[in-house]
């Protein structure tokens, strides 16, 4: 079983590398990222849901589940760095539920201070807050979104934005 987990993590890391290479492209040159997102994000969403369940149960596999979840969150962040991919727009409700579920996982027993900040749970929360910040400041703000993202920004803002 640990060999399968290692292979899955290696696959996720390769996928992360692809997303990272394509993340900074302007919206006019995002065809490859859109193709990658359409193929990869639905399975990552399903895998993420299973990983959250495994992490919530605790036990020996919880640490590995959190590590894999961190890589998935980094892939999602890359998919929305410059603009929100169409696949992510389509599945935004399920992704937001997953983000909240990951953020709600109990903190590890790693002590406090620097050690706690280096825990896998803290790293997952960091990426979730990077994603939320990106939505709040850019893609979920109708005044700051780019290249026709106003409709998505209004819908996201109506559903998820915190009233000020």
């Amino acid at each position: 079983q640990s060999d399968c987990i290692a292979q899955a993590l290696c696959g996720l890391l390769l996928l992360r590398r692809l997303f990272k290479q394509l993340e900074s492209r302007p919206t006019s040159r995002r065809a490859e990222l859109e193709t990658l997102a359409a193929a990869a994000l639905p399975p990552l969403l399903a895998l993420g849901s299973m990983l959250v369940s495994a992490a919530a149960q605790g036990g020996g596999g919880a640490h590995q589940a959190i590590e894999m979840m961190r890589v998935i969150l980094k892939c999602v962040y890359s998919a929305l760095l410059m603009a929100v991919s169409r696949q992510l727009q389509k599945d935004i409700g399920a992704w937001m539920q997953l983000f909240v579920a990951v953020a709600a996982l109990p903190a590890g027993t790693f002590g406090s201070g620097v050690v706690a900040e280096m825990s896998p749970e803290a790293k997952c929360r960091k990426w979730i807050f990077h994603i939320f910040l990106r939505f709040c400041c850019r893609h979920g703000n109708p005044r700051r979104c780019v290249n026709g993202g106003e409709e998505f920004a209004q819908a996201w803002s109506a559903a998820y934005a915190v009233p000020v």
Side-chain angles (χ1 to χ4, degrees), residues 89-158:
Q89 288 181 21
K90 181 180 161 190
D91 298 334
I92 193 64
W95 279 108
M96 292 299 286
Q97 289 175 354
L98 181 66
F99 299 151
V100 170
V102 173
L105 286 173
T109 56
F110 294 100
S112 62
V114 176
V115 176
E117 290 175 14
M118 298 300 292
S119 72
E121 293 88 351
K123 290 180 181 180
C124 277
R125 284 190 181 95
K126 175 189 90 168
W127 282 104
I128 288 169
F129 291 117
H130 277 299
I131 291 168
F132 284 159
L133 184 65
R134 195 72 183 163
F135 275 120
C136 291
C137 293
R138 176 89 184 252
H139 304 307
N141 186 337
R143 291 177 289 170
R144 293 189 181 184
C145 60
V146 293
N147 295 333
E150 292 85 5
E151 184 179 327
F152 172 78
Q154 289 172 348
W156 188 90
S157 177

